[in-house]
Amino acid sequence: MKAPHSEALKQQSRELTTQAPAQQAKPPVPFKSLETHGIRSGSYDLVPLDLMRKTIAKRMTESFRDVPHFPLTIDIEIDGLLKARGDINKRFADSGVKISVNDMCIKAAALALKLVPESNASYTPDGIAQHHHADIAVAVAIPGGLITPIIFAAETKGLAQISHEMADLAERARNKKLKPEEFQGGTFSISNMGMMGIKSFASIINEPHGMIMSIGAGEKRPIVKNDALAIATMMSVTVTCDHRVVDGALGAAFLKAFRGFLEDPMAMLL
């Protein structure tokens, strides 16, 4: 004799199977006009969307909706980093070298991705793609939106080369002279709003990347060091992770490696 609960489960399964096509075919919720929200017609100017803004809106909406994401935040002491940067720029000033904190973050992220290779990955329906190189896409603000030119194989490049490439890419991005292959692809993203005074934020994943890093401003903060109160320059960094690729433990391992390179910049030379 069949158990009653077994028949009930079968009935539920049949109902779900019957309902699934209808649920999948459900159209998206239509956009409501501003007037339906109580904003009076004629009280605003409507700026038409250009192709870039339409593309950004579409991609970010799809990413936020379809990618199961979560943030991880860490505070990093960067006094050693700032000193190393100053020493490098002073020593090589005659050669035209001018390294930024962002350049050092690009290098540190690339090395951390290689040290924790499982985090340098993308989700596909057929499996997890583990990338051979750390191709770092860096967000650059341009009129009408953002674009992410890429430092390819950043783990193989020195700070001077990264600085030179980044300056060139950013300038050509603002002048809309980038080639498609220079901003399409990549394995990891960085968005730095520290220069705008933003302390901490979380970015939307730039598919198909498994993570995106959000870098805040470095600022003097009270900290406890050796059981005593001290002042240090701290920087908050958040990575938004695609949970299909990078779980909490893996994201934490990446951040630990990244922090290690920033807090001991000499390790980036090994």
Side-chain angles (χ1 to χ4, degrees), residues 190-209:
I190 289 179
S191 179
N192 188 340
M193 296 185 71
M195 65 287 293
M196 300 178 187
I198 303 300
K199 180 178 179 180
S200 178
F201 67 107
S203 302
I204 298 174
I205 287 174
N206 181 24
E207 290 189 277
H209 302 173

Side-chain angles (χ1 to χ4, degrees), residues 78 197 199 217-221 232-236:
I78 61 169
K199 180 178 179 180
E219 59 179 4
K220 296 287 186 182
R221 300 182 200 167
T233 308
M234 304 297 293
M235 183 174 74
S236 294

Side-chain angles (χ1 to χ4, degrees), residues 213-234:
M213 174 180 285
S214 309
I215 300 174
E219 59 179 4
K220 296 287 186 182
R221 300 182 200 167
I223 65 167
V224 176
K225 185 181 291 189
N226 299 324
D227 293 329
L229 191 63
I231 300 295
T233 308
M234 304 297 293

Side-chain angles (χ1 to χ4, degrees), residues 90-261:
K90 183 178 180 180
R91 181 172 179 179
F92 297 100
D94 293 341
S95 302
V97 172
K98 190 174 182 181
I99 304 300
S100 69
V101 170
N102 202 52
D103 297 329
M104 299 180 85
C105 287
I106 292 169
K107 177 68 173 182
L111 292 175
L113 288 169
K114 295 301 291 183
L115 194 61
V116 188
E118 298 86 356
S119 66
N120 190 31
S122 298
Y123 173 82
T124 82
D126 298 319
I128 305 301
Q130 294 190 340
H131 302 289
H132 298 160
H133 290 289
D135 299 330
I136 310 295
V138 184
V140 174
I142 62 174
L146 288 172
I147 196 165
T148 52
I150 301 164
I151 303 292
F152 288 96
E155 80 280 4
T156 68
K157 298 174 179 177
L159 288 171
Q161 185 177 356
I162 288 173
S163 177
H164 174 75
E165 286 189 23
M166 197 63 243
D168 173 64
L169 288 167
E171 181 180 358
R172 289 192 291 114
R174 296 185 186 102
N175 294 324
K176 299 185 177 181
K177 292 183 178 180
L178 287 179
K179 301 173 184 177
E181 59 267 24
E182 292 178 310
F183 62 87
Q184 294 178 357
T187 69
F188 180 88
S189 304
I190 289 179
S191 179
N192 188 340
M193 296 185 71
M195 65 287 293
M196 300 178 187
I198 303 300
K199 180 178 179 180
S200 178
F201 67 107
S203 302
I204 298 174
I205 287 174
N206 181 24
E207 290 189 277
H209 302 173
M211 291 187 293
I212 182 169
M213 174 180 285
S214 309
I215 300 174
E219 59 179 4
K220 296 287 186 182
R221 300 182 200 167
I223 65 167
V224 176
K225 185 181 291 189
N226 299 324
D227 293 329
L229 191 63
I231 300 295
T233 308
M234 304 297 293
M235 183 174 74
S236 294
V237 172
T238 298
V239 288
T240 305
C241 308
D242 179 347
H243 211 311
R244 300 170 300 179
V245 181
V246 180
D247 60 21
L250 189 55
F254 165 80
L255 277 177
K256 180 181 179 181
F258 177 76
R259 181 171 62 183
F261 287 118

Side-chain angles (χ1 to χ4, degrees), residues 53-63:
R53 183 56 67 182
K54 287 180 179 178
T55 302
I56 290 173
K58 181 175 183 292
R59 290 193 63 198
M60 293 298 98
T61 299
E62 290 173 347
S63 177

